[in-house]
């Protein structure tokens, strides 16, 4: 993995037209001194390991998400997702970020049950397993469903807030057009989405999680009273 990261660092640095010394200086400015020779050894494949702190600071200095250095070539290049295990870079990134279960490229002769990853769908089984296809295991799916629950809840809430804002814009547009029918339909969607956000945040708390801060507009107070009871009323915004 260190070799692939080093190659990705070198490509990105060359694309930016900066020297290894300038990259080292940028890392130092970000609070993590990294000698030029350490970066050179990484880029030339002379290092067997890269620390998490190094990956993060180098990625920030190069202006890319750490994932693009860890699993370069998104979406379709092959990368080492685990020691001795290959996957398409996009699939590796999806697993690493908690968006999907662990999956990898099969060599066609695994002795345990596999499920093929169906793009845009879910997972399937009961077919012939072919080399070069992407597979996951039922155990990996179960582990992901349990282990990544907090990430899925947080992403679901973020998506619901986007949906709510769109419904609010729809209501305002309908009111400007003096179309009460469309405005009422938008208000109904707003009410349903607000309740879904409230349910999501209740589920987060039931699992011992800390929900992300609420928007400070006063009109959202009823969605999650617990958050507002803990906050300073002076920070609320009238809406």
């Amino acid at each position: 993995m260190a070799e692939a990261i080093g190659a990705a660092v070198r490509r990105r640095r060359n694309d930016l037209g900066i020297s290894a010394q300038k990259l080292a200086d940028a890392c130092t400015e970000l609070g993590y001194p990294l000698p030029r020779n350490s970066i050179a050894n990484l880029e030339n494949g002379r290092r067997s390991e890269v620390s998490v702190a190094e990956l993060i600071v180098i990625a920030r200095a190069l202006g890319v998400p750490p994932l693009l250095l860890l699993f370069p070539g998104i979406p379709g290049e092959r990368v080492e997702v685990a020691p001795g295990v290959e996957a398409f870079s996009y699939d590796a990134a999806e697993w690493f970020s908690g968006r999907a279960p662990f999956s990898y490229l099969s060599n066609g002769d695994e002795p345990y049950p596999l499920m093929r990853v169906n793009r845009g769908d879910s997972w399937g089984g009961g077919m012939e397993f072919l080399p070069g296809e992407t597979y996951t295991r039922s155990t990996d799916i179960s582990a992901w469903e349990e282990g990544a629950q907090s990430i899925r809840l947080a992403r679901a809430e973020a998506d619901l807030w986007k949906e709510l804002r769109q419904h609010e814009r729809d209501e305002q547009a309908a009111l400007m057009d003096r179309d009460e029918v469309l405005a009422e339909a938008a208000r109904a969607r707003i009410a349903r989405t607000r309740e879904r956000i409230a349910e999501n945040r209740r589920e987060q708390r039931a699992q011992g999680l800390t929900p992300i801060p609420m928007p400070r507009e006063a009109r959202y107070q009823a969605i999650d009273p617990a958050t507002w009871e803990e906050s300073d009323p002076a920070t609320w915004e009238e809406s």
Side-chain angles (χ1 to χ4, degrees):
M1 287 187 176
E3 183 177 352
I5 293 172
V9 170
R10 183 175 61 251
R11 283 195 299 269
R12 177 61 178 172
R13 181 176 62 76
N14 288 337
D15 288 344
L16 294 175
I18 63 174
S19 66
Q21 183 59 58
K22 188 170 183 178
L23 175 57
D25 293 342
C27 291
T28 299
E29 291 173 5
L30 291 171
Y32 193 91
L34 200 58
R36 178 197 173 283
N37 67 321
S38 182
I39 292 175
N41 288 336
L42 174 63
E43 292 185 352
N44 294 325
R46 293 193 292 265
R47 291 183 53 184
S48 60
E49 295 181 347
V50 182
S51 72
V52 173
E54 288 176 323
L55 178 65
I56 291 173
V57 74
I58 291 174
R60 189 176 176 202
L62 292 173
V64 295
L67 269 177
L68 291 182
L69 299 180
L70 183 61
F71 301 125
I74 289 176
E77 290 189 16
R78 294 185 177 210
V79 295
E80 189 179 34
V81 65
V85 180
E86 282 194 336
F88 290 123
S89 52
Y90 179 79
D91 294 328
E94 287 285 277
W95 168 68
F96 194 86
S97 62
R99 295 177 65 93
F102 182 84
S103 64
Y104 60 98
L105 292 166
S106 170
N107 60 21
D109 61 358
E110 281 81 353
Y112 35 74
L114 300 177
M115 303 181 75
R116 185 155 62 196
V117 175
N118 299 321
R119 303 295 172 187
D121 189 2
S122 53
W123 306 282
M127 72 289 287
E128 179 184 1
F129 299 121
L130 304 173
E133 291 280 358
T134 298
Y135 293 95
T136 186
R137 306 183 214 175
S138 58
T139 52
D140 286 315
I141 295 174
S142 299
W144 170 72
E145 288 175 341
E146 178 182 356
Q149 177 71 354
S150 60
I151 297 175
R152 295 205 309 278
L153 283 170
R155 285 202 172 108
E157 183 186 357
D159 289 341
L160 285 169
W161 279 107
K162 292 178 184 177
E163 183 179 316
L164 178 60
R165 298 289 195 180
Q166 182 59 57
H167 295 331
E168 290 175 340
R169 288 192 291 270
D170 292 342
E171 180 192 18
Q172 291 303 311
L175 291 174
M176 290 181 64
D177 292 338
R178 298 184 179 181
D179 191 328
E180 185 56 34
V181 174
L182 288 180
E184 184 60 30
R187 284 192 285 270
R189 293 194 298 272
I190 288 171
R192 288 194 298 269
T193 305
R194 286 168 63 99
E195 179 53 33
R196 291 171 64 195
I197 293 172
E199 290 175 359
N200 179 291
R201 294 176 72 87
R202 287 194 294 268
E203 178 62 22
Q204 290 184 51
R205 286 198 171 87
Q207 295 192 23
L209 306 175
T210 301
I212 59 176
M214 289 272 290
R216 306 316 304 163
E217 292 95 329
R219 68 178 181 275
Y220 299 130
Q221 182 176 0
I223 292 179
D224 189 0
T227 294
W228 288 76
E229 290 170 1
E230 300 166 356
S231 64
D232 180 2
T235 66
W236 302 354
E237 298 177 8
E238 293 297 331
S239 58

